[in-house]
Amino acid sequence: MPFVFEVPKEYGYVLAVATSTIFINTYHKTLTYSARKASGIKYPNSFATPEQADKDPKAYKFNLAQRAHSNFTENHAPFVTALLIAGLGYPDFATYAGIAWVVGRFFYAFAYTKYGPQARTTGYAVAHLGKIAVTVMAVLTSYRMVQAASK
């Protein structure tokens, strides 16, 4: 027997937050490209060598931008997956938690790239709280849907 559910009318806000993550990725790409160009690190090298980064502040900045972008890509897919699931059960709260993640990721990228690893803490904390919230809501939404399907 098919399982039917309605998408909440507020789900558009959840989709807007998910879409906004594309712009955070673009911001990361811009930071990384600018730092790569300034450092002279050529493709296909993903990072400056430790020796290059120790000698050249521009190479070090490139490594910062590249690592911040890598961290974003490591977290992006799990976050968006949890957000889209959480939004089915808790569209308003998922939207707010998603906004926290997006804002936190923006500040993470900015601070990490400009000031180094020690400056990423605030952005990370804000983003992490948003991620924890959408993950919990995704688990609860999934549980409720499984319970409804088993009746």
Side-chain angles (χ1 to χ4, degrees), residues 78-145:
F79 166 75
V80 171
T81 301
L83 175 68
L84 295 175
I85 295 167
L88 293 172
Y90 305 92
D92 292 332
F93 292 126
T95 298
Y96 302 138
I99 290 169
W101 189 86
V102 169
V103 169
R105 292 311 307 197
F106 172 81
F107 283 109
Y108 180 97
F110 173 79
Y112 196 120
T113 302
K114 185 152 178 81
Y115 302 110
Q118 70 282 0
R120 69 184 183 213
T121 307
T122 301
Y124 174 82
V126 171
H128 195 63
L129 288 173
K131 185 177 178 185
I132 289 170
V134 297
T135 300
V136 168
M137 288 182 272
V139 168
L140 293 172
T141 298
S142 299
Y143 177 78
R144 287 180 18 213
M145 291 179 81

Short mmCIF file of all heavy atoms in Angstrom, two decimals, residues 78-145:
data_model
loop_
_atom_site.label_atom_id
_atom_site.label_comp_id
_atom_site.label_asym_id
_atom_site.label_seq_id
_atom_site.Cartn_x
_atom_site.Cartn_y
_atom_site.Cartn_z
N PRO A 78 25.50 15.88 3.92
CA PRO A 78 24.74 15.41 5.08
C PRO A 78 23.79 16.47 5.64
O PRO A 78 22.67 16.17 6.04
CB PRO A 78 25.81 15.05 6.11
CG PRO A 78 27.06 14.83 5.33
CD PRO A 78 26.95 15.73 4.13
N PHE A 79 24.24 17.73 5.64
CA PHE A 79 23.38 18.80 6.14
C PHE A 79 22.13 18.96 5.27
O PHE A 79 21.02 19.00 5.80
CB PHE A 79 24.13 20.13 6.21
CG PHE A 79 23.19 21.28 6.40
CD1 PHE A 79 22.60 21.52 7.64
CD2 PHE A 79 22.83 22.09 5.34
CE1 PHE A 79 21.68 22.55 7.81
CE2 PHE A 79 21.92 23.13 5.50
CZ PHE A 79 21.35 23.35 6.74
N VAL A 80 22.31 19.07 3.96
CA VAL A 80 21.15 19.29 3.08
C VAL A 80 20.20 18.10 3.15
O VAL A 80 18.98 18.27 3.17
CB VAL A 80 21.59 19.59 1.63
CG1 VAL A 80 20.40 19.59 0.68
CG2 VAL A 80 22.30 20.94 1.56
N THR A 81 20.74 16.89 3.22
CA THR A 81 19.88 15.71 3.35
C THR A 81 19.04 15.79 4.62
O THR A 81 17.82 15.61 4.59
CB THR A 81 20.74 14.43 3.37
OG1 THR A 81 21.49 14.36 2.15
CG2 THR A 81 19.88 13.19 3.52
N ALA A 82 19.69 16.09 5.73
CA ALA A 82 18.96 16.20 7.00
C ALA A 82 17.96 17.35 6.96
O ALA A 82 16.83 17.21 7.45
CB ALA A 82 19.95 16.39 8.16
N LEU A 83 18.34 18.46 6.37
CA LEU A 83 17.43 19.61 6.26
C LEU A 83 16.17 19.26 5.48
O LEU A 83 15.06 19.58 5.92
CB LEU A 83 18.16 20.78 5.58
CG LEU A 83 17.31 22.02 5.28
CD1 LEU A 83 16.90 22.72 6.57
CD2 LEU A 83 18.09 22.97 4.37
N LEU A 84 16.32 18.61 4.34
CA LEU A 84 15.17 18.28 3.51
C LEU A 84 14.24 17.29 4.20
O LEU A 84 13.01 17.38 4.07
CB LEU A 84 15.62 17.76 2.15
CG LEU A 84 16.37 18.77 1.28
CD1 LEU A 84 16.89 18.11 0.01
CD2 LEU A 84 15.50 19.98 0.96
N ILE A 85 14.81 16.36 4.94
CA ILE A 85 13.97 15.41 5.69
C ILE A 85 13.31 16.12 6.87
O ILE A 85 12.10 15.99 7.10
CB ILE A 85 14.81 14.20 6.17
CG1 ILE A 85 15.30 13.40 4.97
CG2 ILE A 85 13.99 13.32 7.12
CD1 ILE A 85 16.37 12.38 5.30
N ALA A 86 14.10 16.88 7.63
CA ALA A 86 13.57 17.59 8.80
C ALA A 86 12.45 18.54 8.42
O ALA A 86 11.47 18.69 9.16
CB ALA A 86 14.69 18.36 9.50
N GLY A 87 12.57 19.17 7.26
CA GLY A 87 11.57 20.12 6.80
C GLY A 87 10.21 19.51 6.55
O GLY A 87 9.19 20.20 6.60
N LEU A 88 10.16 18.20 6.31
CA LEU A 88 8.87 17.54 6.12
C LEU A 88 8.08 17.48 7.42
O LEU A 88 6.86 17.55 7.42
CB LEU A 88 9.08 16.12 5.57
CG LEU A 88 9.64 16.04 4.16
CD1 LEU A 88 9.99 14.59 3.82
CD2 LEU A 88 8.66 16.61 3.15
N GLY A 89 8.78 17.35 8.53
CA GLY A 89 8.10 17.24 9.82
C GLY A 89 8.09 18.52 10.63
O GLY A 89 7.16 18.75 11.41
N TYR A 90 9.11 19.33 10.44
CA TYR A 90 9.28 20.55 11.25
C TYR A 90 9.75 21.70 10.35
O TYR A 90 10.88 22.17 10.48
CB TYR A 90 10.31 20.32 12.36
CG TYR A 90 10.01 19.13 13.23
CD1 TYR A 90 10.52 17.87 12.92
CD2 TYR A 90 9.21 19.26 14.36
CE1 TYR A 90 10.25 16.78 13.71
CE2 TYR A 90 8.93 18.17 15.16
CZ TYR A 90 9.45 16.93 14.83
OH TYR A 90 9.17 15.84 15.62
N PRO A 91 8.90 22.13 9.41
CA PRO A 91 9.39 23.10 8.42
C PRO A 91 9.88 24.41 9.01
O PRO A 91 10.90 24.94 8.55
CB PRO A 91 8.19 23.30 7.50
CG PRO A 91 6.99 22.86 8.28
CD PRO A 91 7.49 21.80 9.21
N ASP A 92 9.20 24.94 10.01
CA ASP A 92 9.63 26.22 10.59
C ASP A 92 10.96 26.08 11.33
O ASP A 92 11.91 26.83 11.09
CB ASP A 92 8.57 26.79 11.53
CG ASP A 92 7.31 27.22 10.81
OD1 ASP A 92 7.41 27.58 9.61
OD2 ASP A 92 6.23 27.18 11.42
N PHE A 93 11.04 25.10 12.23
CA PHE A 93 12.27 24.92 13.00
C PHE A 93 13.43 24.50 12.09
O PHE A 93 14.57 24.92 12.32
CB PHE A 93 12.07 23.90 14.12
CG PHE A 93 11.16 24.38 15.21
CD1 PHE A 93 10.05 23.63 15.58
CD2 PHE A 93 11.40 25.59 15.86
CE1 PHE A 93 9.20 24.08 16.58
CE2 PHE A 93 10.56 26.04 16.86
CZ PHE A 93 9.45 25.28 17.23
N ALA A 94 13.16 23.68 11.09
CA ALA A 94 14.22 23.28 10.16
C ALA A 94 14.74 24.50 9.39
O ALA A 94 15.95 24.62 9.15
CB ALA A 94 13.69 22.23 9.19
N THR A 95 13.83 25.41 9.03
CA THR A 95 14.26 26.63 8.35
C THR A 95 15.18 27.44 9.24
O THR A 95 16.25 27.89 8.81
CB THR A 95 13.03 27.47 7.94
OG1 THR A 95 12.24 26.71 7.01
CG2 THR A 95 13.44 28.79 7.31
N TYR A 96 14.80 27.64 10.49
CA TYR A 96 15.62 28.44 11.41
C TYR A 96 16.98 27.77 11.66
O TYR A 96 18.02 28.44 11.66
CB TYR A 96 14.90 28.68 12.73
CG TYR A 96 13.58 29.37 12.59
CD1 TYR A 96 12.48 28.97 13.32
CD2 TYR A 96 13.41 30.43 11.69
CE1 TYR A 96 11.25 29.60 13.18
CE2 TYR A 96 12.18 31.07 11.55
CZ TYR A 96 11.11 30.64 12.30
OH TYR A 96 9.89 31.26 12.15
N ALA A 97 16.97 26.48 11.88
CA ALA A 97 18.23 25.75 12.09
C ALA A 97 19.09 25.80 10.84
O ALA A 97 20.32 25.93 10.91
CB ALA A 97 17.94 24.31 12.51
N GLY A 98 18.44 25.70 9.69
CA GLY A 98 19.17 25.78 8.42
C GLY A 98 19.80 27.14 8.21
O GLY A 98 20.94 27.25 7.74
N ILE A 99 19.08 28.19 8.56
CA ILE A 99 19.64 29.54 8.47
C ILE A 99 20.86 29.66 9.38
O ILE A 99 21.88 30.25 8.99
CB ILE A 99 18.57 30.60 8.80
CG1 ILE A 99 17.53 30.66 7.67
CG2 ILE A 99 19.22 31.97 9.02
CD1 ILE A 99 16.30 31.48 8.01
N ALA A 100 20.77 29.09 10.56
CA ALA A 100 21.93 29.12 11.48
C ALA A 100 23.13 28.44 10.83
O ALA A 100 24.25 28.95 10.90
CB ALA A 100 21.57 28.45 12.81
N TRP A 101 22.90 27.30 10.19
CA TRP A 101 24.00 26.59 9.54
C TRP A 101 24.61 27.43 8.44
O TRP A 101 25.84 27.56 8.34
CB TRP A 101 23.51 25.25 8.99
CG TRP A 101 24.62 24.36 8.51
CD1 TRP A 101 25.36 23.50 9.26
CD2 TRP A 101 25.11 24.23 7.17
NE1 TRP A 101 26.29 22.86 8.47
CE2 TRP A 101 26.14 23.29 7.18
CE3 TRP A 101 24.76 24.82 5.96
CZ2 TRP A 101 26.85 22.91 6.04
CZ3 TRP A 101 25.46 24.45 4.82
CH2 TRP A 101 26.49 23.51 4.86
N VAL A 102 23.77 28.03 7.61
CA VAL A 102 24.26 28.84 6.49
C VAL A 102 25.06 30.04 7.00
O VAL A 102 26.16 30.33 6.51
CB VAL A 102 23.10 29.27 5.57
CG1 VAL A 102 23.54 30.33 4.57
CG2 VAL A 102 22.52 28.06 4.85
N VAL A 103 24.53 30.75 7.97
CA VAL A 103 25.22 31.91 8.53
C VAL A 103 26.54 31.48 9.17
O VAL A 103 27.59 32.10 8.96
CB VAL A 103 24.33 32.67 9.52
CG1 VAL A 103 25.11 33.71 10.30
CG2 VAL A 103 23.15 33.32 8.79
N GLY A 104 26.49 30.40 9.93
CA GLY A 104 27.71 29.88 10.56
C GLY A 104 28.75 29.48 9.54
O GLY A 104 29.95 29.77 9.71
N ARG A 105 28.33 28.85 8.45
CA ARG A 105 29.28 28.43 7.41
C ARG A 105 29.90 29.64 6.70
O ARG A 105 31.07 29.61 6.33
CB ARG A 105 28.62 27.51 6.39
CG ARG A 105 28.21 26.15 6.90
CD ARG A 105 29.25 25.38 7.66
NE ARG A 105 30.50 25.23 6.96
CZ ARG A 105 31.44 24.33 7.28
NH1 ARG A 105 31.25 23.47 8.27
NH2 ARG A 105 32.56 24.27 6.60
N PHE A 106 29.12 30.70 6.52
CA PHE A 106 29.67 31.91 5.92
C PHE A 106 30.77 32.48 6.81
O PHE A 106 31.88 32.79 6.35
CB PHE A 106 28.58 32.96 5.69
CG PHE A 106 29.14 34.28 5.25
CD1 PHE A 106 29.49 34.49 3.93
CD2 PHE A 106 29.34 35.30 6.17
CE1 PHE A 106 30.04 35.70 3.52
CE2 PHE A 106 29.88 36.51 5.78
CZ PHE A 106 30.24 36.72 4.45
N PHE A 107 30.48 32.62 8.11
CA PHE A 107 31.47 33.17 9.03
C PHE A 107 32.67 32.24 9.19
O PHE A 107 33.81 32.69 9.35
CB PHE A 107 30.84 33.54 10.37
CG PHE A 107 30.07 34.81 10.29
CD1 PHE A 107 28.69 34.81 10.34
CD2 PHE A 107 30.71 36.03 10.12
CE1 PHE A 107 27.96 35.99 10.24
CE2 PHE A 107 30.01 37.21 10.01
CZ PHE A 107 28.63 37.19 10.07
N TYR A 108 32.42 30.94 9.15
CA TYR A 108 33.52 29.97 9.19
C TYR A 108 34.47 30.21 8.03
O TYR A 108 35.69 30.30 8.21
CB TYR A 108 32.94 28.55 9.16
CG TYR A 108 33.96 27.45 9.19
CD1 TYR A 108 34.29 26.82 10.38
CD2 TYR A 108 34.58 27.00 8.03
CE1 TYR A 108 35.22 25.79 10.42
CE2 TYR A 108 35.51 25.98 8.05
CZ TYR A 108 35.83 25.38 9.25
OH TYR A 108 36.74 24.37 9.29
N ALA A 109 33.92 30.30 6.82
CA ALA A 109 34.75 30.50 5.63
C ALA A 109 35.53 31.80 5.71
O ALA A 109 36.74 31.84 5.45
CB ALA A 109 33.87 30.50 4.37
N PHE A 110 34.84 32.86 6.07
CA PHE A 110 35.48 34.17 6.15
C PHE A 110 36.60 34.18 7.18
O PHE A 110 37.74 34.56 6.89
CB PHE A 110 34.44 35.25 6.48
CG PHE A 110 35.05 36.60 6.74
CD1 PHE A 110 35.44 37.40 5.68
CD2 PHE A 110 35.25 37.05 8.03
CE1 PHE A 110 36.03 38.64 5.91
CE2 PHE A 110 35.83 38.29 8.28
CZ PHE A 110 36.22 39.08 7.21
N ALA A 111 36.29 33.74 8.39
CA ALA A 111 37.25 33.82 9.49
C ALA A 111 38.43 32.86 9.29
O ALA A 111 39.58 33.24 9.51
CB ALA A 111 36.56 33.54 10.81
N TYR A 112 38.15 31.64 8.86
CA TYR A 112 39.22 30.67 8.67
C TYR A 112 40.18 31.15 7.59
O TYR A 112 41.40 31.10 7.76
CB TYR A 112 38.61 29.32 8.27
CG TYR A 112 39.55 28.14 8.40
CD1 TYR A 112 39.24 27.07 9.24
CD2 TYR A 112 40.73 28.05 7.67
CE1 TYR A 112 40.07 25.98 9.36
CE2 TYR A 112 41.57 26.96 7.78
CZ TYR A 112 41.24 25.93 8.62
OH TYR A 112 42.07 24.85 8.74
N THR A 113 39.64 31.64 6.49
CA THR A 113 40.48 32.07 5.38
C THR A 113 41.26 33.34 5.69
O THR A 113 42.42 33.47 5.33
CB THR A 113 39.61 32.27 4.12
OG1 THR A 113 38.95 31.03 3.82
CG2 THR A 113 40.44 32.68 2.92
N LYS A 114 40.64 34.25 6.41
CA LYS A 114 41.30 35.54 6.67
C LYS A 114 42.23 35.50 7.88
O LYS A 114 43.31 36.09 7.85
CB LYS A 114 40.25 36.63 6.86
CG LYS A 114 40.82 38.02 7.02
CD LYS A 114 39.87 39.06 6.55
CE LYS A 114 40.39 40.45 6.76
NZ LYS A 114 41.30 40.89 5.73
N TYR A 115 41.83 34.79 8.93
CA TYR A 115 42.57 34.87 10.19
C TYR A 115 43.20 33.55 10.64
O TYR A 115 43.92 33.52 11.62
CB TYR A 115 41.66 35.39 11.31
CG TYR A 115 41.09 36.75 10.99
CD1 TYR A 115 39.74 36.90 10.71
CD2 TYR A 115 41.91 37.87 10.96
CE1 TYR A 115 39.22 38.15 10.41
CE2 TYR A 115 41.39 39.13 10.65
CZ TYR A 115 40.05 39.25 10.38
OH TYR A 115 39.53 40.48 10.08
N GLY A 116 42.88 32.45 9.98
CA GLY A 116 43.49 31.18 10.33
C GLY A 116 42.59 30.28 11.17
O GLY A 116 41.48 30.66 11.54
N PRO A 117 43.07 29.07 11.46
CA PRO A 117 42.25 28.06 12.13
C PRO A 117 41.64 28.49 13.46
O PRO A 117 40.52 28.12 13.77
CB PRO A 117 43.22 26.90 12.34
CG PRO A 117 44.30 27.11 11.36
CD PRO A 117 44.41 28.58 11.14
N GLN A 118 42.37 29.27 14.24
CA GLN A 118 41.86 29.67 15.55
C GLN A 118 40.62 30.55 15.45
O GLN A 118 39.82 30.61 16.39
CB GLN A 118 42.96 30.38 16.37
CG GLN A 118 43.35 31.75 15.86
CD GLN A 118 44.28 31.76 14.63
OE1 GLN A 118 44.67 30.71 14.12
NE2 GLN A 118 44.61 32.95 14.16
N ALA A 119 40.39 31.19 14.31
CA ALA A 119 39.27 32.12 14.15
C ALA A 119 37.98 31.44 13.70
O ALA A 119 36.93 32.08 13.64
CB ALA A 119 39.65 33.22 13.15
N ARG A 120 38.03 30.17 13.42
CA ARG A 120 36.85 29.48 12.86
C ARG A 120 35.82 29.08 13.90
O ARG A 120 34.72 28.66 13.57
CB ARG A 120 37.29 28.25 12.08
CG ARG A 120 37.85 27.18 13.00
CD ARG A 120 38.38 25.99 12.27
NE ARG A 120 38.80 25.05 13.29
CZ ARG A 120 39.80 24.23 13.17
NH1 ARG A 120 40.50 24.21 12.08
NH2 ARG A 120 40.11 23.42 14.14
N THR A 121 36.14 29.19 15.17
CA THR A 121 35.35 28.61 16.24
C THR A 121 33.91 29.11 16.28
O THR A 121 32.98 28.31 16.39
CB THR A 121 36.03 28.86 17.60
OG1 THR A 121 37.38 28.40 17.51
CG2 THR A 121 35.32 28.14 18.72
N THR A 122 33.70 30.40 16.20
CA THR A 122 32.34 30.93 16.30
C THR A 122 31.47 30.44 15.14
O THR A 122 30.36 29.96 15.35
CB THR A 122 32.35 32.47 16.35
OG1 THR A 122 33.13 32.88 17.47
CG2 THR A 122 30.94 33.03 16.48
N GLY A 123 31.99 30.57 13.93
CA GLY A 123 31.24 30.09 12.77
C GLY A 123 30.95 28.61 12.85
O GLY A 123 29.85 28.15 12.54
N TYR A 124 31.94 27.85 13.29
CA TYR A 124 31.76 26.41 13.44
C TYR A 124 30.68 26.11 14.46
O TYR A 124 29.81 25.26 14.22
CB TYR A 124 33.08 25.74 13.85
CG TYR A 124 32.90 24.28 14.15
CD1 TYR A 124 32.87 23.35 13.12
CD2 TYR A 124 32.71 23.82 15.45
CE1 TYR A 124 32.68 22.00 13.38
CE2 TYR A 124 32.53 22.48 15.72
CZ TYR A 124 32.51 21.58 14.68
OH TYR A 124 32.31 20.24 14.94
N ALA A 125 30.72 26.79 15.60
CA ALA A 125 29.75 26.52 16.67
C ALA A 125 28.32 26.80 16.20
O ALA A 125 27.41 26.00 16.43
CB ALA A 125 30.08 27.34 17.91
N VAL A 126 28.12 27.93 15.54
CA VAL A 126 26.78 28.29 15.05
C VAL A 126 26.30 27.26 14.02
O VAL A 126 25.17 26.76 14.09
CB VAL A 126 26.78 29.72 14.46
CG1 VAL A 126 25.46 30.02 13.76
CG2 VAL A 126 27.05 30.74 15.56
N ALA A 127 27.18 26.92 13.07
CA ALA A 127 26.81 25.94 12.05
C ALA A 127 26.54 24.58 12.67
O ALA A 127 25.58 23.89 12.29
CB ALA A 127 27.92 25.84 11.00
N HIS A 128 27.36 24.19 13.63
CA HIS A 128 27.21 22.87 14.25
C HIS A 128 25.89 22.76 15.02
O HIS A 128 25.23 21.72 14.97
CB HIS A 128 28.40 22.58 15.15
CG HIS A 128 28.52 21.15 15.54
ND1 HIS A 128 28.75 20.15 14.61
CD2 HIS A 128 28.44 20.54 16.75
CE1 HIS A 128 28.79 18.99 15.23
NE2 HIS A 128 28.60 19.19 16.53
N LEU A 129 25.50 23.82 15.70
CA LEU A 129 24.21 23.80 16.40
C LEU A 129 23.07 23.62 15.41
O LEU A 129 22.13 22.86 15.65
CB LEU A 129 24.02 25.08 17.22
CG LEU A 129 24.89 25.19 18.47
CD1 LEU A 129 24.74 26.58 19.09
CD2 LEU A 129 24.55 24.10 19.47
N GLY A 130 23.13 24.33 14.28
CA GLY A 130 22.12 24.15 13.24
C GLY A 130 22.10 22.74 12.70
O GLY A 130 21.03 22.14 12.50
N LYS A 131 23.29 22.17 12.49
CA LYS A 131 23.37 20.80 11.96
C LYS A 131 22.83 19.79 12.96
O LYS A 131 22.12 18.85 12.57
CB LYS A 131 24.82 20.47 11.59
CG LYS A 131 24.96 19.13 10.93
CD LYS A 131 26.40 18.87 10.52
CE LYS A 131 26.53 17.51 9.89
NZ LYS A 131 27.93 17.18 9.59
N ILE A 132 23.16 19.95 14.23
CA ILE A 132 22.63 19.03 15.25
C ILE A 132 21.11 19.12 15.27
O ILE A 132 20.42 18.09 15.31
CB ILE A 132 23.21 19.36 16.64
CG1 ILE A 132 24.68 18.96 16.70
CG2 ILE A 132 22.42 18.66 17.75
CD1 ILE A 132 25.40 19.45 17.94
N ALA A 133 20.58 20.33 15.22
CA ALA A 133 19.11 20.51 15.26
C ALA A 133 18.43 19.83 14.07
O ALA A 133 17.45 19.10 14.26
CB ALA A 133 18.77 22.00 15.31
N VAL A 134 18.94 20.05 12.85
CA VAL A 134 18.27 19.42 11.70
C VAL A 134 18.45 17.92 11.72
O VAL A 134 17.55 17.19 11.28
CB VAL A 134 18.68 20.02 10.33
CG1 VAL A 134 18.30 21.47 10.21
CG2 VAL A 134 20.13 19.79 10.01
N THR A 135 19.56 17.44 12.25
CA THR A 135 19.76 15.99 12.34
C THR A 135 18.75 15.37 13.29
O THR A 135 18.14 14.33 12.97
CB THR A 135 21.21 15.68 12.77
OG1 THR A 135 22.12 16.23 11.82
CG2 THR A 135 21.44 14.18 12.89
N VAL A 136 18.56 15.97 14.44
CA VAL A 136 17.58 15.45 15.40
C VAL A 136 16.18 15.49 14.78
O VAL A 136 15.42 14.51 14.86
CB VAL A 136 17.62 16.25 16.72
CG1 VAL A 136 16.43 15.93 17.61
CG2 VAL A 136 18.92 15.97 17.46
N MET A 137 15.83 16.60 14.13
CA MET A 137 14.51 16.69 13.49
C MET A 137 14.36 15.68 12.36
O MET A 137 13.27 15.12 12.17
CB MET A 137 14.26 18.11 12.97
CG MET A 137 14.01 19.12 14.08
SD MET A 137 13.67 20.77 13.43
CE MET A 137 15.33 21.44 13.31
N ALA A 138 15.42 15.41 11.63
CA ALA A 138 15.36 14.41 10.55
C ALA A 138 15.11 13.02 11.12
O ALA A 138 14.31 12.25 10.58
CB ALA A 138 16.65 14.44 9.73
N VAL A 139 15.79 12.70 12.22
CA VAL A 139 15.58 11.40 12.87
C VAL A 139 14.14 11.29 13.36
O VAL A 139 13.47 10.27 13.14
CB VAL A 139 16.58 11.20 14.03
CG1 VAL A 139 16.20 10.00 14.89
CG2 VAL A 139 17.99 11.05 13.48
N LEU A 140 13.63 12.33 14.00
CA LEU A 140 12.25 12.30 14.50
C LEU A 140 11.24 12.20 13.36
O LEU A 140 10.26 11.45 13.45
CB LEU A 140 11.97 13.54 15.36
CG LEU A 140 12.75 13.62 16.68
CD1 LEU A 140 12.53 14.98 17.34
CD2 LEU A 140 12.36 12.49 17.61
N THR A 141 11.48 12.94 12.30
CA THR A 141 10.58 12.88 11.14
C THR A 141 10.59 11.48 10.53
O THR A 141 9.53 10.92 10.22
CB THR A 141 10.99 13.92 10.08
OG1 THR A 141 10.87 15.22 10.66
CG2 THR A 141 10.11 13.83 8.83
N SER A 142 11.77 10.92 10.37
CA SER A 142 11.88 9.57 9.81
C SER A 142 11.17 8.55 10.70
O SER A 142 10.44 7.68 10.22
CB SER A 142 13.36 9.19 9.65
OG SER A 142 14.00 10.06 8.77
N TYR A 143 11.38 8.66 11.99
CA TYR A 143 10.73 7.75 12.94
C TYR A 143 9.21 7.85 12.83
O TYR A 143 8.53 6.82 12.77
CB TYR A 143 11.20 8.06 14.36
CG TYR A 143 10.53 7.20 15.40
CD1 TYR A 143 10.93 5.88 15.61
CD2 TYR A 143 9.48 7.70 16.17
CE1 TYR A 143 10.30 5.10 16.55
CE2 TYR A 143 8.85 6.91 17.12
CZ TYR A 143 9.28 5.61 17.31
OH TYR A 143 8.65 4.83 18.23
N ARG A 144 8.70 9.07 12.81
CA ARG A 144 7.25 9.25 12.70
C ARG A 144 6.70 8.67 11.40
O ARG A 144 5.62 8.07 11.39
CB ARG A 144 6.89 10.74 12.81
CG ARG A 144 7.03 11.28 14.21
CD ARG A 144 6.69 12.74 14.40
NE ARG A 144 5.90 13.36 13.36
CZ ARG A 144 6.00 14.62 12.99
NH1 ARG A 144 6.86 15.42 13.57
NH2 ARG A 144 5.22 15.13 12.06
N MET A 145 7.45 8.82 10.31
CA MET A 145 6.97 8.29 9.03
C MET A 145 7.00 6.76 9.04
O MET A 145 6.08 6.13 8.49
CB MET A 145 7.80 8.86 7.88
CG MET A 145 7.54 10.34 7.66
SD MET A 145 8.52 11.05 6.34
CE MET A 145 7.53 10.54 4.94
#
